[in-house]
Amino acid sequence: MNEHISNQRGSFPSTDQQKRNRKHTGLSLRWKFPLVLAALLLFTVGVLSWLVLTGIRTSQTDQMERGFKRQAEIVEMRVKQSYLLGVSKSPEAFMKKQAPQLAVELGASSNMRVILYDRKGHEVGNSLPLAFRTDVSQALSYALQGKIAYITEGSTIIYLAPLQGPDGLLGVVQLHTSIEAQQQFYRAIARLFLWTGGRCWY
């Protein structure tokens, strides 16, 4: 009988062991809670950063496209007006004669580099003829089909749009503009979010 009681007592942990277990559990929870909280904060900052940066990029793209579209419409209206008032009978002859002067005028008024092509894809006007040239042959082929095309090259956007006349396609306009300021703003916001995430961690 005594032996049976002794075995039962041996199956229970001692009071000191129970205290040590509770102390270990308390320390474990004490360390886990701040880590979980920090992880949640970083996750929240990460999601908000992604949403804000995506919104900025979308807004910048929409603003750029609207600006290019508006400027292309101005160029088309000016070229069409000049064509209707001119004496050249064919679109090719008109573009060859008038495009050099039109490109310079439109470049000065828009503060963009303006290149004009006739409807066969030949360059006939360039507001900055000595500036670096980019191969736009593929985008130009799209524009000659009546489509909009643009190329991103570093901090420069090259936009090509068809120029429609009273009797069909007159040619294509190519516009250049810098997006360096927009890129710098985007990078500044991204760095701010990285700094905020680092502050949350520490």
Side-chain angles (χ1 to χ4, degrees):
M1 185 70 178
N2 291 335
E3 182 180 355
H4 177 68
I5 293 173
S6 176
N7 288 337
Q8 284 184 336
R9 289 177 179 175
S11 63
F12 292 99
S14 65
T15 304
D16 293 340
Q17 185 178 356
Q18 289 177 346
K19 290 181 178 179
R20 285 195 299 269
N21 289 339
R22 285 197 297 268
K23 185 177 180 181
H24 177 73
T25 303
L27 288 173
S28 179
L29 291 175
R30 190 180 301 172
W31 280 105
K32 285 181 180 178
F33 180 74
L35 290 175
V36 171
L37 183 60
L40 288 174
L41 285 173
L42 286 174
F43 175 76
T44 303
V45 171
V47 172
L48 290 175
S49 302
W50 179 80
L51 290 173
V52 171
L53 291 174
T54 301
I56 291 173
R57 180 60 57 86
T58 301
S59 176
Q60 289 179 341
T61 301
D62 291 344
Q63 184 179 2
M64 177 199 71
E65 289 178 350
R66 287 196 301 268
F68 272 127
K69 183 180 179 181
R70 182 168 58 251
Q71 189 58 42
E73 290 173 349
I74 292 173
V75 171
E76 183 180 71
M77 183 174 61
R78 178 71 179 86
V79 171
K80 187 186 298 185
Q81 181 184 34
S82 181
Y83 176 73
L84 291 173
L85 295 175
V87 294
S88 299
K89 294 182 179 181
S90 70
E92 288 85 356
F94 162 76
M95 292 295 286
K96 184 177 181 180
K97 181 178 180 180
Q98 299 295 331
Q101 182 180 353
L102 286 171
V104 173
E105 292 177 359
L106 292 165
S109 63
S110 65
N111 199 28
M112 294 182 180
R113 183 182 183 185
V114 177
I115 300 177
L116 296 175
Y117 301 88
D118 64 20
R119 62 181 182 178
K120 292 184 178 179
H122 300 140
E123 183 181 318
V124 288
N126 192 332
S127 62
L128 297 173
L130 300 180
F132 177 78
R133 295 174 182 268
T134 302
D135 181 15
V136 298
S137 54
Q138 186 174 2
L140 179 59
S141 66
Y142 281 109
L144 290 170
Q145 297 172 29
K147 303 175 183 178
I148 301 294
Y150 65 88
I151 302 169
T152 303
E153 189 176 70
S155 60
T156 301
I157 299 291
I158 303 172
Y159 181 93
L160 293 96
L163 297 175
Q164 300 294 340
D167 301 318
L169 186 70
L170 277 175
V172 169
V173 59
Q174 177 179 323
L175 303 171
H176 294 228
T177 192
S178 173
I179 56 170
E180 185 176 358
Q182 291 90 329
Q183 289 176 334
Q184 288 178 351
F185 176 75
Y186 183 88
R187 288 193 293 265
I189 297 298
R191 285 194 297 267
L192 178 61
F193 278 122
L194 287 175
W195 179 84
T196 303
R199 295 283 293 179
C200 288
W201 178 256
Y202 290 107

Short mmCIF file of all heavy atoms in Angstrom, two decimals, residues 139-195:
data_model
loop_
_atom_site.label_atom_id
_atom_site.label_comp_id
_atom_site.label_asym_id
_atom_site.label_seq_id
_atom_site.Cartn_x
_atom_site.Cartn_y
_atom_site.Cartn_z
N ALA A 139 7.85 51.35 -83.17
CA ALA A 139 6.77 52.23 -82.72
C ALA A 139 6.22 53.06 -83.88
O ALA A 139 5.01 53.32 -83.96
CB ALA A 139 7.28 53.14 -81.61
N LEU A 140 7.09 53.47 -84.80
CA LEU A 140 6.66 54.26 -85.95
C LEU A 140 5.73 53.44 -86.85
O LEU A 140 4.74 53.97 -87.37
CB LEU A 140 7.88 54.73 -86.74
CG LEU A 140 7.61 55.54 -88.01
CD1 LEU A 140 6.83 56.81 -87.68
CD2 LEU A 140 8.93 55.89 -88.72
N SER A 141 6.02 52.16 -87.00
CA SER A 141 5.15 51.31 -87.82
C SER A 141 3.75 51.22 -87.22
O SER A 141 2.75 51.19 -87.96
CB SER A 141 5.76 49.92 -87.97
OG SER A 141 5.80 49.24 -86.72
N TYR A 142 3.65 51.19 -85.89
CA TYR A 142 2.34 51.20 -85.24
C TYR A 142 1.61 52.51 -85.50
O TYR A 142 0.41 52.53 -85.80
CB TYR A 142 2.49 50.98 -83.73
CG TYR A 142 2.71 49.55 -83.32
CD1 TYR A 142 3.93 49.13 -82.85
CD2 TYR A 142 1.68 48.61 -83.38
CE1 TYR A 142 4.15 47.82 -82.47
CE2 TYR A 142 1.88 47.30 -83.00
CZ TYR A 142 3.12 46.90 -82.55
OH TYR A 142 3.32 45.61 -82.17
N ALA A 143 2.34 53.62 -85.36
CA ALA A 143 1.71 54.93 -85.55
C ALA A 143 1.23 55.11 -86.99
O ALA A 143 0.19 55.73 -87.24
CB ALA A 143 2.70 56.03 -85.18
N LEU A 144 1.96 54.57 -87.96
CA LEU A 144 1.55 54.66 -89.36
C LEU A 144 0.28 53.86 -89.63
O LEU A 144 -0.38 54.09 -90.63
CB LEU A 144 2.68 54.18 -90.27
CG LEU A 144 3.91 55.10 -90.35
CD1 LEU A 144 5.05 54.41 -91.07
CD2 LEU A 144 3.56 56.42 -91.03
N GLN A 145 -0.04 52.94 -88.72
CA GLN A 145 -1.28 52.17 -88.83
C GLN A 145 -2.44 52.84 -88.08
O GLN A 145 -3.51 52.27 -87.93
CB GLN A 145 -1.07 50.76 -88.27
CG GLN A 145 -0.04 49.94 -89.03
CD GLN A 145 0.28 48.63 -88.34
OE1 GLN A 145 -0.54 48.05 -87.64
NE2 GLN A 145 1.50 48.14 -88.54
N GLY A 146 -2.19 54.06 -87.59
CA GLY A 146 -3.23 54.79 -86.88
C GLY A 146 -3.29 54.50 -85.40
O GLY A 146 -4.29 54.81 -84.74
N LYS A 147 -2.21 53.94 -84.83
CA LYS A 147 -2.19 53.58 -83.41
C LYS A 147 -1.25 54.49 -82.64
O LYS A 147 -0.38 55.14 -83.21
CB LYS A 147 -1.74 52.12 -83.23
CG LYS A 147 -2.60 51.11 -83.98
CD LYS A 147 -2.02 49.71 -83.86
CE LYS A 147 -2.82 48.71 -84.66
NZ LYS A 147 -2.23 47.33 -84.59
N ILE A 148 -1.46 54.53 -81.32
CA ILE A 148 -0.59 55.28 -80.42
C ILE A 148 0.51 54.35 -79.91
O ILE A 148 0.25 53.21 -79.55
CB ILE A 148 -1.38 55.85 -79.22
CG1 ILE A 148 -2.52 56.77 -79.71
CG2 ILE A 148 -0.46 56.59 -78.27
CD1 ILE A 148 -2.04 58.01 -80.39
N ALA A 149 1.73 54.86 -79.85
CA ALA A 149 2.84 54.06 -79.32
C ALA A 149 3.78 54.98 -78.55
O ALA A 149 3.92 56.16 -78.89
CB ALA A 149 3.60 53.38 -80.46
N TYR A 150 4.37 54.43 -77.50
CA TYR A 150 5.39 55.22 -76.79
C TYR A 150 6.48 54.31 -76.25
O TYR A 150 6.28 53.12 -76.01
CB TYR A 150 4.78 56.09 -75.69
CG TYR A 150 4.14 55.38 -74.54
CD1 TYR A 150 4.88 55.01 -73.43
CD2 TYR A 150 2.78 55.11 -74.55
CE1 TYR A 150 4.28 54.37 -72.36
CE2 TYR A 150 2.17 54.48 -73.48
CZ TYR A 150 2.93 54.11 -72.39
OH TYR A 150 2.34 53.49 -71.34
N ILE A 151 7.65 54.90 -76.07
CA ILE A 151 8.84 54.19 -75.63
C ILE A 151 9.39 54.89 -74.40
O ILE A 151 9.47 56.12 -74.36
CB ILE A 151 9.92 54.18 -76.74
CG1 ILE A 151 9.38 53.55 -78.03
CG2 ILE A 151 11.18 53.47 -76.28
CD1 ILE A 151 10.29 53.76 -79.23
N THR A 152 9.77 54.10 -73.39
CA THR A 152 10.44 54.65 -72.22
C THR A 152 11.93 54.37 -72.34
O THR A 152 12.34 53.22 -72.45
CB THR A 152 9.90 54.02 -70.92
OG1 THR A 152 8.49 54.23 -70.85
CG2 THR A 152 10.57 54.64 -69.70
N GLU A 153 12.73 55.43 -72.32
CA GLU A 153 14.18 55.29 -72.45
C GLU A 153 14.84 56.09 -71.33
O GLU A 153 15.04 57.30 -71.46
CB GLU A 153 14.65 55.76 -73.82
CG GLU A 153 16.10 55.44 -74.11
CD GLU A 153 16.49 55.84 -75.51
OE1 GLU A 153 16.56 57.07 -75.76
OE2 GLU A 153 16.70 54.96 -76.36
N GLY A 154 15.15 55.41 -70.22
CA GLY A 154 15.72 56.11 -69.08
C GLY A 154 14.70 57.05 -68.47
O GLY A 154 13.63 56.65 -68.04
N SER A 155 15.04 58.34 -68.46
CA SER A 155 14.12 59.35 -67.92
C SER A 155 13.39 60.11 -69.03
O SER A 155 12.87 61.20 -68.80
CB SER A 155 14.90 60.34 -67.05
OG SER A 155 15.90 60.99 -67.81
N THR A 156 13.35 59.53 -70.22
CA THR A 156 12.69 60.17 -71.37
C THR A 156 11.57 59.29 -71.89
O THR A 156 11.74 58.07 -72.01
CB THR A 156 13.70 60.46 -72.49
OG1 THR A 156 14.73 61.31 -72.00
CG2 THR A 156 13.02 61.12 -73.68
N ILE A 157 10.44 59.90 -72.21
CA ILE A 157 9.33 59.21 -72.85
C ILE A 157 9.22 59.71 -74.28
O ILE A 157 9.22 60.92 -74.54
CB ILE A 157 7.99 59.47 -72.13
CG1 ILE A 157 8.06 58.96 -70.69
CG2 ILE A 157 6.85 58.80 -72.87
CD1 ILE A 157 8.11 57.46 -70.56
N ILE A 158 9.15 58.77 -75.22
CA ILE A 158 8.98 59.10 -76.64
C ILE A 158 7.59 58.62 -77.05
O ILE A 158 7.26 57.44 -76.91
CB ILE A 158 10.07 58.43 -77.50
CG1 ILE A 158 11.46 58.84 -77.01
CG2 ILE A 158 9.89 58.78 -78.96
CD1 ILE A 158 12.59 58.09 -77.68
N TYR A 159 6.81 59.54 -77.54
CA TYR A 159 5.39 59.28 -77.84
C TYR A 159 5.15 59.51 -79.33
O TYR A 159 5.55 60.55 -79.88
CB TYR A 159 4.54 60.23 -77.00
CG TYR A 159 3.04 60.11 -77.15
CD1 TYR A 159 2.30 59.31 -76.29
CD2 TYR A 159 2.36 60.85 -78.12
CE1 TYR A 159 0.92 59.23 -76.40
CE2 TYR A 159 0.97 60.78 -78.24
CZ TYR A 159 0.26 59.97 -77.37
OH TYR A 159 -1.10 59.89 -77.47
N LEU A 160 4.53 58.56 -79.99
CA LEU A 160 4.25 58.67 -81.42
C LEU A 160 2.76 58.53 -81.65
O LEU A 160 2.12 57.61 -81.11
CB LEU A 160 5.01 57.61 -82.22
CG LEU A 160 6.54 57.76 -82.25
CD1 LEU A 160 7.17 56.88 -81.19
CD2 LEU A 160 7.09 57.41 -83.62
N ALA A 161 2.21 59.43 -82.46
CA ALA A 161 0.77 59.43 -82.75
C ALA A 161 0.55 59.78 -84.21
O ALA A 161 1.30 60.58 -84.79
CB ALA A 161 0.04 60.42 -81.85
N PRO A 162 -0.48 59.22 -84.83
CA PRO A 162 -0.77 59.54 -86.23
C PRO A 162 -1.34 60.95 -86.37
O PRO A 162 -1.99 61.46 -85.46
CB PRO A 162 -1.82 58.48 -86.62
CG PRO A 162 -2.47 58.10 -85.32
CD PRO A 162 -1.40 58.22 -84.28
N LEU A 163 -1.08 61.56 -87.49
CA LEU A 163 -1.64 62.88 -87.82
C LEU A 163 -2.63 62.70 -88.97
O LEU A 163 -2.23 62.38 -90.09
CB LEU A 163 -0.53 63.85 -88.23
CG LEU A 163 0.53 64.18 -87.17
CD1 LEU A 163 1.64 65.04 -87.78
CD2 LEU A 163 -0.11 64.88 -85.98
N GLN A 164 -3.90 62.89 -88.66
CA GLN A 164 -4.94 62.69 -89.67
C GLN A 164 -5.25 64.01 -90.37
O GLN A 164 -5.37 65.05 -89.74
CB GLN A 164 -6.21 62.13 -89.02
CG GLN A 164 -6.03 60.79 -88.33
CD GLN A 164 -5.70 59.66 -89.30
OE1 GLN A 164 -5.96 59.77 -90.50
NE2 GLN A 164 -5.15 58.57 -88.77
N GLY A 165 -5.39 63.94 -91.68
CA GLY A 165 -5.77 65.09 -92.48
C GLY A 165 -7.17 64.93 -93.02
O GLY A 165 -7.87 63.96 -92.70
N PRO A 166 -7.60 65.85 -93.86
CA PRO A 166 -8.96 65.77 -94.42
C PRO A 166 -9.15 64.56 -95.33
O PRO A 166 -10.29 64.10 -95.51
CB PRO A 166 -9.10 67.08 -95.19
CG PRO A 166 -7.71 67.51 -95.46
CD PRO A 166 -6.89 67.05 -94.32
N ASP A 167 -8.07 64.06 -95.91
CA ASP A 167 -8.17 62.93 -96.85
C ASP A 167 -7.47 61.68 -96.33
O ASP A 167 -7.06 60.81 -97.11
CB ASP A 167 -7.58 63.33 -98.21
CG ASP A 167 -8.28 64.54 -98.80
OD1 ASP A 167 -9.52 64.60 -98.72
OD2 ASP A 167 -7.58 65.43 -99.31
N GLY A 168 -7.29 61.58 -95.00
CA GLY A 168 -6.61 60.41 -94.46
C GLY A 168 -5.33 60.79 -93.73
O GLY A 168 -5.15 61.94 -93.30
N LEU A 169 -4.44 59.84 -93.62
CA LEU A 169 -3.21 60.03 -92.85
C LEU A 169 -2.27 61.02 -93.53
O LEU A 169 -1.93 60.87 -94.71
CB LEU A 169 -2.50 58.68 -92.67
CG LEU A 169 -1.26 58.68 -91.77
CD1 LEU A 169 -1.66 58.91 -90.31
CD2 LEU A 169 -0.51 57.36 -91.91
N LEU A 170 -1.87 62.04 -92.78
CA LEU A 170 -0.88 63.00 -93.26
C LEU A 170 0.54 62.56 -92.89
O LEU A 170 1.49 62.79 -93.63
CB LEU A 170 -1.15 64.39 -92.68
CG LEU A 170 -2.18 65.26 -93.38
CD1 LEU A 170 -2.41 66.53 -92.58
CD2 LEU A 170 -1.74 65.58 -94.80
N GLY A 171 0.68 62.01 -91.70
CA GLY A 171 2.00 61.60 -91.21
C GLY A 171 1.92 61.19 -89.76
O GLY A 171 0.87 60.79 -89.26
N VAL A 172 3.04 61.32 -89.08
CA VAL A 172 3.16 60.91 -87.68
C VAL A 172 3.95 61.98 -86.94
O VAL A 172 4.90 62.56 -87.48
CB VAL A 172 3.88 59.55 -87.56
CG1 VAL A 172 4.25 59.25 -86.11
CG2 VAL A 172 3.02 58.44 -88.12
N VAL A 173 3.54 62.27 -85.71
CA VAL A 173 4.29 63.17 -84.85
C VAL A 173 4.96 62.34 -83.75
O VAL A 173 4.38 61.41 -83.21
CB VAL A 173 3.40 64.25 -84.22
CG1 VAL A 173 2.27 63.65 -83.39
CG2 VAL A 173 4.22 65.21 -83.37
N GLN A 174 6.20 62.70 -83.46
CA GLN A 174 6.97 62.06 -82.39
C GLN A 174 7.32 63.12 -81.36
O GLN A 174 7.94 64.13 -81.69
CB GLN A 174 8.23 61.41 -82.95
CG GLN A 174 9.15 60.79 -81.91
CD GLN A 174 10.37 60.14 -82.55
OE1 GLN A 174 10.28 59.55 -83.62
NE2 GLN A 174 11.51 60.26 -81.92
N LEU A 175 6.91 62.91 -80.11
CA LEU A 175 7.13 63.87 -79.04
C LEU A 175 8.05 63.28 -77.99
O LEU A 175 7.93 62.09 -77.64
CB LEU A 175 5.80 64.26 -78.39
CG LEU A 175 4.73 64.85 -79.31
CD1 LEU A 175 3.40 64.99 -78.56
CD2 LEU A 175 5.17 66.20 -79.86
N HIS A 176 8.96 64.11 -77.48
CA HIS A 176 9.88 63.69 -76.43
C HIS A 176 9.66 64.56 -75.20
O HIS A 176 9.52 65.78 -75.32
CB HIS A 176 11.35 63.86 -76.86
CG HIS A 176 11.77 62.96 -77.98
ND1 HIS A 176 12.92 62.23 -77.94
CD2 HIS A 176 11.19 62.68 -79.17
CE1 HIS A 176 13.05 61.54 -79.07
NE2 HIS A 176 12.00 61.81 -79.83
N THR A 177 9.65 63.96 -74.02
CA THR A 177 9.59 64.73 -72.79
C THR A 177 10.33 63.98 -71.68
O THR A 177 10.47 62.76 -71.73
CB THR A 177 8.14 65.00 -72.36
OG1 THR A 177 8.12 65.98 -71.31
CG2 THR A 177 7.46 63.74 -71.84
N SER A 178 10.80 64.72 -70.70
CA SER A 178 11.55 64.14 -69.58
C SER A 178 10.60 63.86 -68.42
O SER A 178 9.72 64.66 -68.11
CB SER A 178 12.66 65.09 -69.13
OG SER A 178 13.27 64.60 -67.95
N ILE A 179 10.80 62.70 -67.77
CA ILE A 179 10.02 62.35 -66.57
C ILE A 179 10.96 62.23 -65.36
O ILE A 179 10.63 61.56 -64.40
CB ILE A 179 9.24 61.05 -66.78
CG1 ILE A 179 10.19 59.90 -67.18
CG2 ILE A 179 8.15 61.21 -67.81
CD1 ILE A 179 9.53 58.54 -67.16
N GLU A 180 12.09 62.91 -65.44
CA GLU A 180 13.07 62.82 -64.35
C GLU A 180 12.49 63.33 -63.03
O GLU A 180 12.71 62.73 -61.97
CB GLU A 180 14.33 63.60 -64.71
CG GLU A 180 15.45 63.46 -63.69
CD GLU A 180 16.73 64.16 -64.11
OE1 GLU A 180 16.75 64.73 -65.23
OE2 GLU A 180 17.70 64.14 -63.33
N ALA A 181 11.73 64.42 -63.08
CA ALA A 181 11.15 64.97 -61.85
C ALA A 181 10.17 63.98 -61.23
O ALA A 181 10.15 63.79 -60.01
CB ALA A 181 10.45 66.29 -62.16
N GLN A 182 9.35 63.34 -62.06
CA GLN A 182 8.40 62.35 -61.55
C GLN A 182 9.12 61.15 -60.94
O GLN A 182 8.71 60.63 -59.90
CB GLN A 182 7.46 61.88 -62.66
CG GLN A 182 6.48 62.94 -63.15
CD GLN A 182 7.03 63.77 -64.29
OE1 GLN A 182 8.24 63.99 -64.37
NE2 GLN A 182 6.16 64.23 -65.16
N GLN A 183 10.20 60.72 -61.59
CA GLN A 183 10.96 59.59 -61.07
C GLN A 183 11.63 59.93 -59.74
O GLN A 183 11.66 59.10 -58.82
CB GLN A 183 12.01 59.15 -62.10
CG GLN A 183 11.43 58.49 -63.33
CD GLN A 183 12.49 58.16 -64.36
OE1 GLN A 183 13.55 58.80 -64.44
NE2 GLN A 183 12.23 57.16 -65.19
N GLN A 184 12.15 61.14 -59.62
CA GLN A 184 12.77 61.56 -58.37
C GLN A 184 11.74 61.61 -57.24
O GLN A 184 12.02 61.20 -56.11
CB GLN A 184 13.44 62.92 -58.55
CG GLN A 184 14.70 62.89 -59.39
CD GLN A 184 15.31 64.26 -59.59
OE1 GLN A 184 14.71 65.28 -59.25
NE2 GLN A 184 16.51 64.31 -60.14
N PHE A 185 10.54 62.11 -57.53
CA PHE A 185 9.48 62.16 -56.52
C PHE A 185 9.10 60.74 -56.08
O PHE A 185 8.93 60.48 -54.88
CB PHE A 185 8.27 62.88 -57.10
CG PHE A 185 7.07 62.90 -56.18
CD1 PHE A 185 7.05 63.73 -55.07
CD2 PHE A 185 5.98 62.07 -56.42
CE1 PHE A 185 5.95 63.74 -54.22
CE2 PHE A 185 4.89 62.08 -55.57
CZ PHE A 185 4.87 62.91 -54.47
N TYR A 186 8.97 59.84 -57.03
CA TYR A 186 8.60 58.45 -56.72
C TYR A 186 9.66 57.80 -55.84
O TYR A 186 9.34 57.13 -54.85
CB TYR A 186 8.43 57.68 -58.03
CG TYR A 186 7.99 56.24 -57.85
CD1 TYR A 186 6.63 55.93 -57.80
CD2 TYR A 186 8.91 55.21 -57.76
CE1 TYR A 186 6.21 54.62 -57.64
CE2 TYR A 186 8.50 53.90 -57.60
CZ TYR A 186 7.15 53.61 -57.55
OH TYR A 186 6.74 52.30 -57.38
N ARG A 187 10.93 58.02 -56.20
CA ARG A 187 12.02 57.43 -55.39
C ARG A 187 12.06 58.03 -53.99
O ARG A 187 12.36 57.33 -53.01
CB ARG A 187 13.36 57.61 -56.11
CG ARG A 187 13.53 56.73 -57.33
CD ARG A 187 14.98 56.72 -57.79
NE ARG A 187 15.39 58.02 -58.31
CZ ARG A 187 15.36 58.34 -59.59
NH1 ARG A 187 14.94 57.47 -60.49
NH2 ARG A 187 15.76 59.53 -59.99
N ALA A 188 11.79 59.33 -53.87
CA ALA A 188 11.78 59.98 -52.55
C ALA A 188 10.70 59.39 -51.65
O ALA A 188 10.93 59.13 -50.46
CB ALA A 188 11.58 61.49 -52.71
N ILE A 189 9.51 59.15 -52.21
CA ILE A 189 8.43 58.55 -51.43
C ILE A 189 8.79 57.12 -51.05
O ILE A 189 8.53 56.68 -49.92
CB ILE A 189 7.11 58.59 -52.23
CG1 ILE A 189 6.69 60.04 -52.50
CG2 ILE A 189 6.00 57.86 -51.48
CD1 ILE A 189 6.43 60.85 -51.25
N ALA A 190 9.40 56.38 -51.98
CA ALA A 190 9.79 55.00 -51.67
C ALA A 190 10.83 54.97 -50.54
O ALA A 190 10.75 54.12 -49.64
CB ALA A 190 10.35 54.33 -52.93
N ARG A 191 11.80 55.90 -50.57
CA ARG A 191 12.80 55.95 -49.50
C ARG A 191 12.15 56.32 -48.17
O ARG A 191 12.55 55.81 -47.11
CB ARG A 191 13.89 56.96 -49.85
CG ARG A 191 14.86 56.47 -50.91
CD ARG A 191 16.11 57.36 -50.97
NE ARG A 191 15.76 58.72 -51.35
CZ ARG A 191 15.79 59.15 -52.61
NH1 ARG A 191 16.12 58.33 -53.59
NH2 ARG A 191 15.49 60.41 -52.89
N LEU A 192 11.16 57.20 -48.20
CA LEU A 192 10.46 57.59 -46.98
C LEU A 192 9.76 56.38 -46.35
O LEU A 192 9.81 56.19 -45.13
CB LEU A 192 9.43 58.68 -47.30
CG LEU A 192 8.56 59.16 -46.12
CD1 LEU A 192 9.44 59.76 -45.02
CD2 LEU A 192 7.54 60.17 -46.60
N PHE A 193 9.14 55.56 -47.17
CA PHE A 193 8.47 54.37 -46.64
C PHE A 193 9.49 53.36 -46.09
O PHE A 193 9.24 52.71 -45.08
CB PHE A 193 7.62 53.71 -47.72
CG PHE A 193 6.28 54.36 -47.90
CD1 PHE A 193 5.89 54.86 -49.13
CD2 PHE A 193 5.39 54.46 -46.84
CE1 PHE A 193 4.65 55.46 -49.30
CE2 PHE A 193 4.16 55.06 -47.00
CZ PHE A 193 3.78 55.56 -48.23
N LEU A 194 10.64 53.23 -46.76
CA LEU A 194 11.68 52.34 -46.24
C LEU A 194 12.18 52.82 -44.89
O LEU A 194 12.40 52.03 -43.97
CB LEU A 194 12.84 52.26 -47.24
CG LEU A 194 12.58 51.46 -48.52
CD1 LEU A 194 13.77 51.59 -49.47
CD2 LEU A 194 12.33 49.99 -48.19
N TRP A 195 12.36 54.13 -44.76
CA TRP A 195 12.81 54.69 -43.48
C TRP A 195 11.76 54.47 -42.40
O TRP A 195 12.08 54.11 -41.26
CB TRP A 195 13.08 56.18 -43.65
CG TRP A 195 13.54 56.86 -42.39
CD1 TRP A 195 14.81 56.91 -41.89
CD2 TRP A 195 12.72 57.59 -41.48
NE1 TRP A 195 14.83 57.62 -40.72
CE2 TRP A 195 13.56 58.06 -40.43
CE3 TRP A 195 11.36 57.91 -41.44
CZ2 TRP A 195 13.09 58.80 -39.38
CZ3 TRP A 195 10.89 58.66 -40.38
CH2 TRP A 195 11.74 59.10 -39.35
#
